[in-house]
Amino acid sequence: MPRFLTMIRVDEKNSPEGGPSPEMGERMGALLEEITKAGVMLETAGLTPSAQTTQVHWEGGRLSVTDGPFTEAKEVVGGYSITQCKDKAEAVEWAGRFLRTHDEQWTVTAEVREIIEG
């Protein structure tokens, strides 16, 4: 069965101050419990804010390392999951359900990509 990486992209500049509401946390927790019990969720986690990011870049035979914050970034990866689904349609359905747990003032995008197996 294929595995999928879902990257959750958030607009940090327009995210609600104080983070998720308690109700949003409850909805998210219930969905994560459901997807785990269904045997779909393999791994998930949130990520630190982009201000704490370090980028490692290779160009022209040279390596550079730059610490955040990165002001040009509109959306950043705020979290991820690795799921095992019967097909991409199922992975997209779970991603959509996750996005719907967010309160209306959030701007969130899920990027779903199949993992290429060895």
Side-chain angles (χ1 to χ4, degrees), residues 86-104:
K86 64 182 179 206
D87 55 28
K88 190 173 187 177
E90 181 184 13
V92 168
E93 173 61 30
W94 283 111
R97 289 185 61 192
F98 178 77
L99 294 184
R100 287 191 294 274
T101 67
H102 289 73
D103 297 323
E104 288 184 10

Side-chain angles (χ1 to χ4, degrees), residues 1 27 31 50 66 75-77 83 92 99-101 103 107-108 111 115:
M1 203 168 353
R27 291 189 301 270
L31 180 64
S50 65
T66 309
E75 284 189 333
V76 299
V77 178
T83 56
V92 168
L99 294 184
R100 287 191 294 274
T101 67
D103 297 323
T107 301
V108 188
E111 181 180 331
I115 296 171

Side-chain angles (χ1 to χ4, degrees), residues 29-44:
L31 180 64
L32 291 175
E33 184 176 332
E34 179 184 350
I35 192 172
T36 300
K37 284 183 179 176
V40 172
M41 181 64 69
L42 300 177
E43 180 178 338
T44 188

